Amino acid sequence: MKHDALIEEMPKGALAQAGGGLYSVTPRMPLGCISPEQLDIINSVVRDFNLPGVRVTAGQRLKLQGIPKDQVRAVIDRLGPVGEFCHYYVQACPGSATCRMGMRDSMAMGERLETFLNTVTLPCKLKAGVSGCSMCCAESYVRDVGLVGRNGGWTVLFGGNAGKRVRTGDVLAENVSDDEALAIIARVLDLYAREAKSRERTARFVERVGVEAVRRVVFGGNAP
Ligand code: SF4
């Protein structure tokens, strides 16, 4: 079955598992955080629907698996506000709020980035990583959009990917403030939204048009 047809027949908010007949649902967990109340809901859903448990995903979320198609709607209804399907997500490390290595507040920056991403429509899914220092615990160099905190400010990366064709993101700017970093991300994603082909990830987009062309549009003649 073609990919689009597969997506078309899936219940909204769920993903089909291999093997047929069963689905998974990933509750919304911004920046990998979850409240005690949300945990209680997830736990009760797993018990009441006799699911095999939850899996922690690479994107810092909890995935409920093994859901029969005729129960997907009921599971999502029970999950309520945590049942939203998230097409663009931000992974953030603890950063300077709680990590001794942290040079920047990656959680606060991740929140601002996620708020911005909720306002845009892009040609394909997008993963962002915000790391509070160069240890890069949020895998910023292999994310579509990456931020790395350093002494002088943020390093802004674009076009990374950790999939089957691994690509390191290109550095668009270094030592920029929170506001400057978000403005650069807004400009590069505006270009990506306008010029990328449908379902073209940022890594393939940058390879096709060239990073210098991206920099020219994003910065004009004022590249940092
Ligand atoms: S990237 Fe740096 S600040 Fe973030 S968790 Fe890792 S060591 Fe700590």
Side-chain angles (χ1 to χ4, degrees):
M1 182 182 292
K2 287 225 160 46
H3 191 249
D4 285 351
L6 190 65
I7 290 174
E8 190 65 27
E9 77 154 27
M10 278 194 282
K12 193 170 179 336
L15 284 174
Q17 292 178 207
L22 296 176
Y23 293 80
S24 65
V25 169
T26 306
R28 184 159 154 65
M29 289 176 49
L31 309 177
C33 296
I34 190 162
S35 69
E37 293 76 19
Q38 288 172 313
L39 270 178
D40 284 345
I41 292 171
I42 290 172
N43 195 33
S44 71
V45 167
V46 169
R47 288 183 187 283
D48 292 351
F49 288 84
N50 201 26
L51 303 182
V54 298
R55 189 174 75 80
V56 180
T57 73
Q60 301 179 323
R61 293 181 287 185
L62 297 178
K63 178 176 281 192
L64 285 70
Q65 295 177 300
I67 308 166
K69 187 172 186 177
D70 63 356
Q71 294 188 354
V72 167
R73 187 69 260 157
V75 165
I76 292 176
D77 285 348
R78 278 276 296 279
L79 293 172
V82 299
E84 183 183 336
F85 185 70
C86 191
H87 204 52
Y88 317 132
Y89 81 81
V90 179
Q91 173 185 356
C93 80
S96 58
T98 55
C99 178
R100 287 188 305 175
M101 304 281 282
M103 294 184 171
R104 299 279 142 189
D105 190 344
S106 44
M107 292 298 285
M109 190 60 168
E111 272 187 50
R112 289 187 67 185
L113 179 56
E114 178 157 302
T115 300
F116 168 71
L117 290 177
N118 285 335
T119 68
V120 299
T121 301
L122 301 172
C124 195
K125 71 176 179 182
L126 180 136
K127 299 179 180 182
V130 185
S131 301
C133 80
S134 56
M135 298 296 284
C136 263
C137 295
E139 302 171 326
S140 308
Y141 276 89
V142 287
R143 296 297 180 229
D144 298 276
V145 169
L147 290 170
V148 181
R150 298 189 193 276
N151 261 335
W154 294 102
T155 298
V156 183
L157 303 143
F158 181 68
N161 193 292
K164 64 181 177 182
R165 282 171 57 197
V166 177
R167 185 174 193 278
T168 303
D170 292 294
V171 175
L172 294 185
E174 293 182 290
N175 299 323
V176 295
S177 69
D178 292 17
D179 289 346
E180 288 168 333
L182 287 168
I184 290 165
I185 292 168
R187 289 202 294 274
V188 77
L189 291 184
D190 178 61
L191 170 69
Y192 173 60
R194 285 187 284 109
E195 301 292 336
K197 299 174 185 172
S198 174
R199 308 183 68 79
E200 185 178 41
R201 291 291 294 270
T202 60
R204 309 290 84 89
F205 170 70
V206 177
E207 287 171 351
R208 181 168 62 79
V209 304
V211 68
E212 287 311 320
V214 171
R215 287 197 179 104
R216 272 197 300 277
V217 174
V218 172
F219 299 111
N222 303 309

